[in-house]
Amino acid sequence: MRHLKFAPSWLRFLTIFLLTMGILFRFSNIDGKVFWHDETYTSLRISGYTINEVKQQLFNNRVIGGESFAQFQGANPEKSLNDTIMSLAKQDSQHPPLYYIIARLWMEIFGNSVTAIRSLSALISLLVFPCVYWLCRELFNVPLSVPGVAIALMAISPIHLVYAQEAQEYILWLVTILLSSASLLRAIRLEDELAQERQKPDLFAIWSIYAVTLAISLYTFLWSAFVAVAHGIYVMINAKLQFTETVRTYLLASLVGFLAFMPWITIVTGDFFQFLISADKITMQSDLIPVFPFLLMQLSRIFFDIDLSSENPLGYLIALSFLILVVYSIYFLCRTTNYKVWSFIITLIVVPVLPLILPDLIAGSIRSSTEAYLIPSYLGIQVAVAYLLTTQLYNGSGSRRSFWYIIVALVIICGLISFKVSSQAETWWNKDMNSGNPQVAQIINQSNRPLLISDAFGNNYGDVFSLSYLLQPKVRFLLVNNQKIPKIPDGFTDVFLLNPSDTWGKTIEKKYKFKTDIVYSDNYYSIWKLAKTRNLRRRNISPNNKLSAELSTGQTILPRKVWPNSKVPIWRKA
C-alpha cells in the first residue's frame, strides 16, 4: 500500500465539505420525524418507571390529558438514576445500561424534549469520524487517503443518519465497535513491533485499552459479544492458528472485559430463564420477510435511501448496483492487501451477522426488527469500499481514473439526495410501526372535543405514547387495562378506538349501542370512530386487509404498503 500517499488537497477539501454537510444534516429537523414506539420505551427506561407502574397510574379507566404522559418520558424528580438502571434490570435487561445512564444525565441538563434526546445521538455520532480515522490508520497505515475517504463516506451515509437521529443506543454501539476494533489492531501492532526490536512488551499498557473498550461495548449492546468473537477469529488468523503470546494476551484481555460485564450477564441470564418458565408473557409483533431481499435492501441503504418500499422494483435495481460495487470492493481488498488487513474486514462483516441470519436462512425469512444488528457489517462494507475508491483514484490510466471519478461522484450524489429527502420526511422505514401517526393525529385533531380510547394489550402501550406527541392538548385519553369495558363519559364530540380487538370492539358497541366505523388502517394498527348514527355500519377491516377503508364523509384511505421494520426486543415480559 505504499502507492497510497498523502491525500491531495482536493480530496482533503472534499472530505471537509462532506463532513460539514453530514454534521449539518444530523442536526437538521431532528424533531421532525415521528417519535415512534421504541423511542418511547427508551424514554420510559430513562424515567426510571416500569411498564407495570405506568399501567397502574395511566391505564386505570380514567380520562386524562396528554400532559399525563410527560412524567414517564424522561428524567423526573420522582425517580433517580438508580431507578433507571433497576428498570432495565427488571424488565428490559437485554438493553445494557450505559446509553440510558448517559441519556438520563443528558436529559437532566437539557430537558425531556424530542430534540434534546435525539441531539444526544447526533452528538455521539460525531465521534464516529475520529474513531474511523483511527481504525483506518491501524488497518492501512496511510496518513489521510483511505481514512479521509472513509470519513467522507460515513458522513453522507444514509444508514448513519438514521441512527444519528434515533433515541436509541445504536449509534453509541457503532462508536464502541470502532474503538474496540482500533484498540485491538493497535495492541497487535505494538506487540509485533516490540517483538521485532527484541524488547519485552508491557502487556498491561498494550492490551488494557482493548479490555476497557470491549467492556464499554458490551455495556452498550449485547450483540457486542459476537463482535468480540469476530475479533478472536481474526487474532487466530493473524497468528496462523498457533497459540502465540499475542493469542494468550488477547484471551486474557477479553476475559477481563467479559468479567467486567459479568454483573449484567448475570441479570440477563436470570431474566431470560425467568421469561422461559413464566406464563405471563406476550407475543410482540415481528413481521417475517424474505432474507435476501431484506439484506439487499439494507445494503443499498448504506449508500442510497429515499425510503423506497420493498415492492418498488426500482429499489432492487439500485440495490443490485451497489451490491456489485460492494462485491468488487471485497474482491479487490482480498487481492491487493495483506491477509492481516482483509481478514479483519471480512470477519467484521460476516461473523456478527451469522447468528442472526443462519436460523432465518433455514426458515427462509428474517425478522424485520433486526436491521440495527447489521451495524458491524455496515462498518466493514464501508471501509472496504473506501479502500477501493481511494486506490482507484490514485492508480491506473487517465480513462480508468475518470471512470472511478464518476463512481465517486455518483456515490456522493446518492448520499446527499438521501439526506435531503430524509430531512424533509415525517417518518422513515425504521419507524414504520408508527408511520401512520401524522395521518391519525390529523384526523383526531380535527374534532372539537375528541376522546381516544385504548388498552395496554400488545403494542398499544407504545402506540398511545407515540401518538400523544402529535395530538393537540384538547385531546383526552381513556386508557384501560386488560381490555376492560371503558366508562365513556358525556361531553365529547368524537370518540375514537385505537386498535381494538374484534371482541373488545363488539362488546363496547353492544354496551353503549354505538356503531363503529374505521377511519384509518395500516399494517400495524387501526383507528375506529364510535357513532350513534344509524347509517354507519361496522366494516370488518383488519389492519392487514387489502381493501380500502371508507370514512363516513366519503373519504377513502388506502392501507399503506410498507416495509415492516419494527424494532421489537428479543424478549419482553408483560
Side-chain angles (χ1 to χ4, degrees):
M1 287 174 284
R2 291 189 297 270
H3 55 284
L4 295 179
K5 55 186 179 181
F6 195 84
S9 58
W10 68 265
L11 182 57
R12 281 177 279 168
F13 286 129
L14 178 63
T15 300
I16 293 173
F17 169 75
L18 295 178
L19 181 60
T20 303
M21 296 297 294
I23 293 173
L24 292 177
F25 273 111
R26 277 162 169 76
F27 291 93
S28 175
N29 198 28
I30 199 168
D31 61 341
K33 291 185 176 63
V34 169
F35 196 74
W36 77 291
H37 183 281
D38 281 16
E39 290 180 298
T40 65
Y41 272 99
T42 298
S43 295
L44 172 66
R45 298 309 177 199
I46 293 171
S47 73
Y49 284 94
T50 64
I51 296 177
N52 292 335
E53 289 175 318
V54 175
K55 290 179 179 179
Q56 291 175 3
Q57 298 190 38
L58 294 186
F59 290 78
N60 53 14
N61 209 2
R62 295 180 181 177
V63 177
I64 60 174
E67 65 279 357
S68 301
F69 297 96
Q71 180 182 358
F72 309 101
Q73 291 289 283
N76 60 84
E78 288 77 18
K79 297 285 186 175
S80 65
L81 180 61
N82 183 62
D83 293 311
T84 296
I85 300 173
M86 292 306 298
S87 171
L88 289 165
K90 290 177 181 177
Q91 289 194 332
D92 218 359
S93 61
Q94 60 173 339
H95 292 286
L98 180 59
Y99 168 79
Y100 298 86
I101 292 173
I102 297 173
R104 170 84 189 204
L105 298 175
W106 176 270
M107 297 179 79
E108 286 179 351
I109 298 174
F110 298 101
N112 297 331
S113 66
V114 174
T115 301
I117 188 170
R118 285 181 175 170
S119 294
L120 174 62
S121 295
L123 192 64
I124 292 173
S125 72
L126 303 186
L127 298 176
V128 170
F129 306 125
C131 291
V132 77
Y133 174 82
W134 183 22
L135 176 63
C136 290
R137 281 297 305 269
E138 294 293 343
L139 265 178
F140 302 106
N141 193 26
V142 288
L144 273 178
S145 50
V146 178
V149 175
I151 289 173
L153 286 179
M154 292 190 176
I156 59 170
S157 173
I159 203 75
H160 284 262
L161 181 65
V162 166
Y163 297 118
Q165 294 188 333
E166 182 92 346
Q168 296 193 83
E169 66 267 34
Y170 300 122
I171 197 67
L172 178 62
W173 185 40
L174 173 60
V175 172
T176 63
I177 293 172
L178 286 164
L179 285 173
S180 61
S181 299
S183 60
L184 173 69
L185 295 175
R186 170 188 174 274
I188 295 174
R189 174 178 58 81
L190 290 177
E191 196 165 317
D192 289 344
E193 290 176 354
L194 292 175
Q196 292 175 2
E197 297 174 1
R198 300 180 181 274
Q199 298 182 19
K200 186 177 181 180
D202 185 350
L203 299 181
F204 176 81
I206 292 176
W207 286 95
S208 58
I209 297 178
Y210 176 71
V212 171
T213 54
L214 176 61
I216 291 174
S217 188
L218 289 168
Y219 271 106
T220 302
F221 198 57
L222 289 180
W223 212 255
S224 299
F226 294 105
V227 177
V229 172
H231 289 167
I233 294 175
Y234 169 73
V235 171
M236 292 302 299
I237 294 174
N238 188 63
K240 299 181 179 179
L241 303 181
Q242 298 179 1
F243 198 70
T244 62
E245 182 67 23
T246 300
V247 174
R248 287 193 290 269
T249 52
Y250 161 77
L251 292 175
L252 180 61
S254 298
L255 179 62
V256 172
F258 275 95
L259 286 177
F261 188 58
M262 188 58 66
W264 201 260
I265 292 178
T266 304
I267 295 173
V268 172
T269 304
D271 198 18
F272 181 65
F273 280 108
Q274 183 181 355
F275 171 81
L276 290 179
I277 64 176
S278 175
D280 183 26
K281 50 183 179 281
I282 58 177
T283 301
M284 300 297 291
Q285 179 177 354
S286 181
D287 294 284
L288 297 177
I289 52 182
V291 176
F292 290 108
F294 170 79
L295 295 177
L296 193 62
M297 189 67 71
Q298 290 305 120
L299 183 146
S300 175
R301 286 168 174 163
I302 300 175
F303 307 99
F304 182 67
D305 181 15
I306 55 174
D307 200 18
L308 294 175
S309 71
S310 61
E311 297 182 349
N312 192 325
L314 178 61
Y316 291 106
L317 180 62
I318 296 172
L320 286 173
S321 301
F322 284 110
L323 177 62
I324 295 173
L325 175 64
V326 170
V327 170
Y328 182 71
S329 298
I330 295 174
Y331 163 77
F332 185 81
L333 178 78
C334 296
R335 190 172 63 88
T336 59
T337 63
N338 188 281
Y339 74 95
K340 294 182 179 181
V341 175
W342 63 257
S343 61
F344 179 84
I345 296 177
I346 296 299
T347 54
L348 187 63
I349 294 174
V350 175
V351 175
V353 79
L354 281 180
L356 184 69
I357 66 172
L358 279 181
D360 297 312
L361 281 173
I362 298 173
S365 58
I366 191 170
R367 292 187 304 275
S368 62
S369 59
T370 55
E371 71 277 350
Y373 294 76
L374 302 176
I375 283 178
S377 300
Y378 301 150
L379 172 60
I381 288 171
Q382 287 175 307
V383 172
V385 172
Y387 173 77
L388 170 69
L389 297 180
T390 304
T391 53
Q392 296 303 323
L393 291 178
Y394 279 104
N395 298 328
S397 61
S399 59
R400 184 176 180 180
R401 283 200 301 268
S402 298
F403 170 78
W404 286 102
Y405 282 142
I406 295 174
I407 298 297
V408 171
L410 289 176
V411 171
I412 293 174
I413 292 171
C414 286
L416 294 178
I417 290 176
S418 302
F419 274 35
K420 179 64 175 178
V421 174
S422 177
S423 65
Q424 298 176 344
E426 290 183 315
T427 185
W428 211 242
W429 54 264
N430 63 314
K431 305 176 187 294
D432 267 343
M433 182 181 287
N434 298 115
S435 290
N437 280 9
Q439 297 96 312
V440 173
Q442 183 179 9
I443 293 171
I444 297 176
N445 288 334
Q446 287 176 351
S447 301
N448 293 328
R449 187 170 172 78
L451 176 68
L452 179 64
I453 301 175
S454 185
D455 64 348
F457 181 76
N459 293 329
N460 288 355
Y461 166 86
D463 292 339
V464 169
F465 270 77
S466 176
L467 189 58
S468 69
Y469 281 88
L470 299 179
L471 295 178
Q472 297 176 2
K474 66 181 178 180
V475 179
R476 292 294 180 264
F477 300 83
L478 179 56
L479 308 178
V480 300
N481 203 1
N482 298 323
Q483 295 192 335
K484 294 181 179 178
I485 304 304
K487 299 177 182 178
I488 303 177
D490 297 327
F492 292 98
T493 57
D494 296 283
V495 179
F496 300 91
L497 287 178
L498 172 63
N499 202 24
S501 64
D502 289 339
T503 303
W504 192 47
K506 291 178 181 178
T507 305
I508 295 175
E509 279 186 343
K510 183 177 180 180
K511 178 176 181 179
Y512 291 100
K513 296 181 174 56
F514 281 156
K515 295 296 180 182
T516 56
D517 195 36
I518 191 168
V519 296
Y520 179 84
S521 175
D522 64 20
N523 285 3
Y524 295 97
Y525 66 92
S526 58
I527 297 292
W528 298 79
K529 186 176 181 180
L530 302 180
K532 292 184 178 180
T533 308
R534 291 183 178 180
N535 61 357
L536 290 180
R537 54 190 177 88
R538 182 180 178 93
R539 297 168 174 83
N540 294 321
I541 303 178
S542 65
N544 292 316
N545 199 310
K546 295 182 179 179
L547 297 177
S548 64
E550 298 177 1
L551 293 171
S552 58
T553 58
Q555 179 184 358
T556 299
I557 297 179
L558 293 176
R560 298 174 301 108
K561 289 294 182 182
V562 296
W563 181 267
N565 275 290
S566 57
K567 289 194 187 70
V568 238
I570 302 171
W571 72 86
R572 177 175 290 155
K573 296 184 294 185

